[in-house]
Amino acid sequence: MDKLNEILLNYADVDEIPDSASFRKDLGLSSFDTACLITEIRTVMGISLEPADFIKCKTVGALKDYLNTK
Amino acid sequence: MIEKILPDGSKVTAFPISIPQQFMFFMSAQYGAKYPVNNIGLCCFIHGGADLEILRDALYEAISRCDTMRLRFTPDEKYKILQYITPETEMNIDIIDMSDIPLEEAKLKLQSISREDIPTYNCEIHKISLIRFKGNTDGIFMRLHHFAMDAYSTGVFLRDASEIYLHKTKGTAYPKPMRPYLPVLLQELQYINSPQQTEDKDYWFRSLSEADEPVFTDYMLDNRLTQQQKKNPSQRFADIHSGSPEAGTLIFSMSEDESKRILSVCEEKQLSVCAFLSMGLRTALSVFNNNETDVSFKMIVNRRGTVAEKKSGGIRINYFPMRSIIPGDMKFADAVNEISLIQNDIYGHCSLSFWDMLIERHKSMPSDAKPDSTYDSIGLSYQPPTEHIQLGSSPDEVIWFNNGASMIPLYLTIKHRTTDGGFDFIFEYRKDPDPVYDLNIFFTKLRGALLAGAEDPDITAHVLLKQLKITDEERKGKNNG
């Protein structure tokens, strides 16, 4: 999941991204950011990720767990 | 990348302009100096005052960190216009004393400066002044050129300058670096004629041509489509661009408490704030158009997803048709999610130029449609909150000045106030025909829809429309006015 952290650092202006970070509150991602992020995860990681599934993952850790099941 | 010799004989590395810049370039040429659509005017009022010498140093430092605050343009035979970055600014940030005149008078002066024509070629295009106002208030006044900056990049620049000032005066952490403009610009230029552009054209052609024809929904009580249907009863588009671009501004503020109610329901139900506000807008349009279920407006997208896009200045706005069909039995929250899905779909194809979009749109319009016939009466832009750094002793207040002209008949910007985070609804409207009465009623419906949706996300569209019905008194007021 190092790749996911690398992608997330392109979207949030922080030094590190803890698994407990929430996308909206802690990383400050808007709906546009989220749409771009989903596209980049799909393209770079080759994983199919639907917006509805992304929304269910409230934290970075939850997204990692979800992507591990794919 | 083009080697360009400037009129003074110096040589620079120049670049063509991006798609959003081409749009502004075209609009500016169309309206000319009389209507300065390129101007962005704003003032950050610092209550309690600031050390203006240190603030001036902080602004110079922020300019050195933001490439598009040092951007210049030069005419070119082949490309019409090229852009280049100067390594250092020649801007002179002056300190103006307005403390001897009332604050309202000072604001009028700044408003007037915001409407002055800005020269575009081979010179500084931005102007910053520091101002001493009456009553221990200082201000950072900026008149920026819209070819190089938009509202978002202006906010980011202001925040950077504020953080530098606080670092100098209070020893707080120095801000993280800004990002270079050129890599982001080159990415924009590479999009032109790319496979992604072809894919986006296909997407818009498919989504616009395969659906039934939309219908125009108006914010004016005297619906312009209804009037135009007297000539052609089956017409569904409207012609509303005929008036002068002269514009005024109406600002409606929603209280901090009401705004928080909306934000907390979005947080609790994981709803997109932008989609929630869009649902409010489309509900108000529906109320104004006989409870129409098929509503379209222009969505103004500030295409900044990555940190590099957010912190590199420039302009990245684009306009797209946002159509939603919400049946009467759909619950508010479900409609918000529906709108969110439509918006996500649009975000995946939002680099296509507005002109290409219009071409795709017109391919499926009836043959009697004119080039600027439209289904959208309003353009909506939502600006998510950016953390504002307070410089004074109480929250700073940022006022945006109208440049006196609007490229579209009605532009609604929804912003968070810097003072308390509450929503401001800024309607920039064309004065002909005068929509002020209509917009006052329109805002009560928009506000009513948002608060009802926050109060009960399960309320159906049908019940909501019934609650918000235009009263006879409201209609009579228009006729009496």
Side-chain angles (χ1 to χ4, degrees), chain B residues 240-297:
Chain B
I240 58 167
H241 283 80
S242 52
S244 124
E246 217 163 288
T249 305
L250 266 180
I251 302 175
F252 299 98
S253 295
M254 186 178 262
S255 72
E256 182 186 0
D257 174 56
E258 289 172 341
S259 306
K260 272 188 181 158
R261 266 188 260 158
I262 291 169
L263 293 172
S264 53
V265 82
C266 288
E267 184 63 37
E268 187 191 319
K269 303 245 168 214
Q270 293 288 303
L271 301 171
S272 146
V273 178
C274 180
F276 197 98
L277 296 169
S278 300
M279 176 58 187
L281 176 64
R282 68 140 354 254
T283 303
L285 281 167
S286 184
V287 171
F288 263 54
N289 292 270
N290 207 18
N291 295 351
E292 179 58 60
T293 54
D294 182 354
V295 172
S296 297
F297 57 85

Side-chain angles (χ1 to χ4, degrees), chain A residues 24 30-32 34-35 38 51-52 55, chain B residues 203 266 269-279 282 297 299 322-324 326 330 332-348:
Chain A
R24 201 180 291 185
S30 68
S31 50
F32 182 77
T34 305
I38 292 171
I55 287 169
Chain B
Y203 165 84
C266 288
K269 303 245 168 214
Q270 293 288 303
L271 301 171
S272 146
V273 178
C274 180
F276 197 98
L277 296 169
S278 300
M279 176 58 187
R282 68 140 354 254
F297 57 85
M299 187 79 214
M322 163 71 214
R323 180 186 189 186
S324 56
I326 305 292
M330 189 180 272
F332 195 95
D334 293 340
V336 172
N337 281 325
E338 180 78 22
I339 289 169
S340 195
L341 288 176
I342 300 168
Q343 286 175 343
N344 279 336
D345 221 20
I346 290 175
Y347 293 158

Side-chain angles (χ1 to χ4, degrees), chain B residues 402-440:
Chain B
N402 181 302
N403 60 22
S406 177
M407 293 182 287
I408 57 175
L410 183 63
Y411 195 144
L412 168 60
T413 304
I414 307 179
K415 278 185 180 149
H416 294 261
R417 285 186 296 278
T418 47
T419 45
D420 61 10
F423 290 117
D424 272 348
F425 296 77
I426 304 163
F427 289 89
E428 190 180 9
Y429 60 90
R430 282 199 179 176
K431 290 179 175 174
D432 178 22
D434 181 0
V436 171
Y437 178 83
D438 310 74
L439 290 179
N440 274 283

Side-chain angles (χ1 to χ4, degrees), chain B residues 96-115:
Chain B
I96 302 171
D97 191 353
M98 291 192 180
S99 61
D100 57 339
I101 57 171
L103 189 60
E104 285 312 307
E105 197 182 314
K107 283 182 187 173
L108 286 175
K109 276 197 175 180
L110 299 179
Q111 169 75 83
S112 163
I113 299 169
S114 300
R115 294 180 180 189

